[in-house]
Amino acid sequence: MLEQFIIDTYLKKGETVEKTPRPITNHIVEYTITKQTVRTYKRVALIKIGTQLQSSQPPSKLLTYHFTLHAKRQLDEPFLTIQDWLTAGWIVQEIRLQSDGRTSKEMHYRMGPSYVKYTHQTMHDKNQQLEDQYQLILDYFHSCTFNQELQPYIQIFETFLYQIPSQLANEATLKANWSIQKRQKFLMFCIGYFQLASKETLFDFKQIGATVFDDIGGSKMFDKDREEFVEELERIFDLDSAILGLVSLGKIVPVYFSGQLCGKMSQYTYGAVHALTDDSILQDHYQSEAHYLFLVENRAVLTRMVKEPSFIEKTMSFVLCLDGQIRTAHKMLLKQLTSTKQVKKIIVWTDYDEAGLIIAQNAVKLVERIPTVIIARDYHEYSTIENYEIWLQTELQNGQHEQEQQLGGEQQWMKWIQK
């Protein structure tokens, strides 16, 4: 066994090992390495190796030398410690000889059979853990259901999901300095994020961990990777995490509006364009006396309506600018404004293009229990998003149009309210 180990591990090309070793101690033997040609036969090395092989973990001090299979080390240890390591097969001593076959040219220590066996077993266990984790991720993913509108993201995710651990470890799309364990953890994070985005309008970061790891302390599982994981999620899937419902992670997102609004820490009155931040919406709770909510896509519409302050005040209206996309902050404020029976009607007014349709669809979902109309070109209105979509698909055949092309005035806005 020891002879074969030496042959497999230490011999150079053309070298052989003499079959009968020389005893050094009761549990250490010395093998002679020779090299033979047509004309010469000489000793080239001596290898001292222990016979009391171990199957436990190597001594902690030995691990600090960071041996690899082909590494050659000098050991700064007491003689008895080195003898103990030799005896147990943790290391071997290799002495390379001069051309005379007797004088030492170089002496160093290398991994012994016990250490090599431990390394192989550790690698096997690690690979098994990665395989088990991979299967766990697959099983968890297949147990989840996702909204249809998230399918483009899920399809991208599956390109990572169905890679075996060795492939995932070399996936160039993910951060190069991430270990395979961190990459697998990121996949679990993504599943939790999309799972919550499928069923929650708003959700906190800690809900992702609590969803994935349904156990005590699960909510903290992603905490140390918080900023890095969210940054990579947004980069890889080309999305804004807040749009799908994740509560603010410190980014300051302005929410523009006009109308009466009252919170515990601030109050706003009619007559001007106001702005809240997502942080203030998160920390405060707002109420409004508004009976009518105008959800508009662009600031130009907001500023145009503010030029008619008497209309907003006398109709008790509230104009919320979605600013091109519905973010978490907009969702949170809408949830607060529509939590009472104060609001009688909601008017959704977006651009007449595909992006505007998506915004309108999402807006209608957020306020579905309240009577809602969606505004089309020439000030026509639709009471269902389905009918609006049918109209828009026909309209798009004639080219896209922006909301600002027809801003209307007080007389037209009043018709939408009174119908």
Side-chain angles (χ1 to χ4, degrees), residues 122-138 163-169 179-185 187:
T122 301
M123 184 61 67
H124 176 271
D125 292 345
K126 179 181 178 181
N127 289 337
Q128 187 60 53
Q129 289 175 358
L130 293 176
E131 290 290 342
D132 292 344
Q133 181 66 12
Y134 172 63
Q135 190 59 51
L136 182 66
I137 295 171
L138 281 178
Q163 295 184 26
I164 60 176
S166 59
Q167 293 173 321
L168 185 64
S179 66
I180 177 62
Q181 290 86 354
K182 189 165 184 176
R183 289 169 179 236
Q184 288 187 330
K185 186 178 180 181
L187 294 186

Side-chain angles (χ1 to χ4, degrees), residues 128-377:
Q128 187 60 53
Q129 289 175 358
L130 293 176
E131 290 290 342
D132 292 344
Q133 181 66 12
Y134 172 63
Q135 190 59 51
L136 182 66
I137 295 171
L138 281 178
D139 292 343
Y140 179 55
F141 176 76
H142 291 146
S143 71
C144 298
T145 55
F146 305 98
N147 284 348
Q148 188 61 37
E149 54 262 37
L150 296 180
Q151 285 307 309
Y153 302 127
I154 300 303
Q155 289 175 4
I156 296 173
F157 176 75
E158 288 179 333
T159 64
F160 302 106
L161 177 68
Y162 293 116
Q163 295 184 26
I164 60 176
S166 59
Q167 293 173 321
L168 185 64
N170 297 302
E171 170 56 58
T173 308
L174 301 176
K175 296 190 76 169
N177 63 339
W178 279 6
S179 66
I180 177 62
Q181 290 86 354
K182 189 165 184 176
R183 289 169 179 236
Q184 288 187 330
K185 186 178 180 181
F186 177 68
L187 294 186
M188 292 293 278
F189 169 80
C190 291
I191 297 174
Y193 173 83
F194 289 124
Q195 188 179 10
L196 283 168
S198 293
K199 62 182 181 180
E200 301 286 349
T201 302
L202 304 170
F203 56 93
D204 184 81
F205 180 86
K206 286 188 177 293
Q207 285 181 258
I208 302 175
T211 298
V212 175
F213 303 99
D214 187 15
D215 203 350
I216 297 175
S219 63
K220 301 177 181 178
M221 289 300 294
F222 298 119
D223 279 5
K224 70 176 183 178
D225 303 304
R226 176 176 177 140
E227 292 185 4
E228 196 172 21
F229 276 10
V230 172
E231 180 182 304
E232 282 301 284
L233 176 82
E234 294 185 338
R235 181 185 68 84
I236 291 171
F237 296 98
D238 191 24
L239 58 79
D240 185 330
S241 58
I243 292 176
L244 296 183
L246 182 61
V247 171
S248 171
L249 293 175
K251 298 178 182 177
I252 298 178
V253 178
V255 176
Y256 299 102
F257 69 95
S258 183
Q260 181 272 335
L261 192 68
C262 181
K264 295 179 181 179
M265 296 181 283
S266 57
Q267 295 186 8
Y268 302 88
T269 58
Y270 298 102
V273 173
H274 305 295
L276 291 171
T277 66
D278 53 347
D279 185 63
S280 63
I281 296 173
L282 179 63
Q283 296 188 47
D284 206 346
H285 184 82
Y286 293 93
Q287 292 180 321
S288 176
E289 62 184 19
H291 289 170
Y292 304 97
L293 294 185
F294 285 80
L295 306 183
V296 301
E297 180 176 351
N298 301 310
R299 298 181 195 178
V301 181
L302 172 62
T303 54
R304 171 67 183 88
M305 296 188 74
V306 170
K307 290 180 181 179
E308 308 286 349
S310 61
F311 166 78
I312 296 177
E313 184 171 5
K314 72 183 180 183
T315 60
M316 300 179 72
S317 294
F318 187 96
V319 186
L320 177 62
C321 180
L322 303 178
D323 221 11
Q325 54 189 354
I326 301 179
R327 298 177 181 272
T328 300
H330 298 111
K331 294 179 182 179
M332 294 175 68
L333 184 59
L334 274 174
K335 186 176 182 180
Q336 293 176 12
L337 294 177
T338 58
S339 61
T340 66
K341 296 182 179 179
Q342 188 81 9
V343 178
K344 299 178 180 179
K345 193 174 188 179
I346 293 176
I347 297 93
V348 178
W349 194 6
T350 63
D351 282 346
Y352 312 123
D353 56 19
E354 291 289 353
L357 174 60
I358 293 173
I359 295 172
Q361 289 171 332
N362 291 332
V364 170
K365 284 182 181 179
L366 291 172
V367 296
E368 57 187 357
R369 67 178 183 83
I370 300 173
T372 302
V373 295
I374 307 96
I375 305 304
R377 273 177 61 76

Side-chain angles (χ1 to χ4, degrees), residues 26-90:
N26 289 338
H27 303 292
I28 299 176
V29 296
E30 183 181 79
Y31 282 90
T32 300
I33 309 302
T34 63
K35 190 170 186 178
Q36 184 176 4
T37 66
V38 176
R39 296 183 179 181
T40 62
Y41 174 87
K42 61 181 180 179
R43 301 195 314 165
V44 294
L46 302 172
I47 292 182
K48 292 180 182 179
I49 188 168
T51 59
Q52 287 193 322
L53 304 186
Q54 305 294 308
S55 58
S56 58
Q57 181 174 322
S60 56
K61 186 60 183 296
L62 177 59
L63 294 174
T64 64
Y65 285 94
H66 304 292
F67 273 95
T68 59
L69 191 59
H70 301 292
K72 301 174 181 179
R73 300 279 189 262
Q74 298 298 320
L75 303 180
D76 184 20
E77 302 296 333
F79 173 77
L80 290 179
T81 298
I82 293 176
Q83 289 298 103
D84 287 343
W85 291 354
L86 274 170
T87 299
W90 296 123

Side-chain angles (χ1 to χ4, degrees), residues 42-44 97-103 105:
K42 61 181 180 179
R43 301 195 314 165
V44 294
L97 302 175
Q98 299 279 8
S99 58
D100 61 11
R102 295 187 301 272
T103 308
K105 178 176 65 174

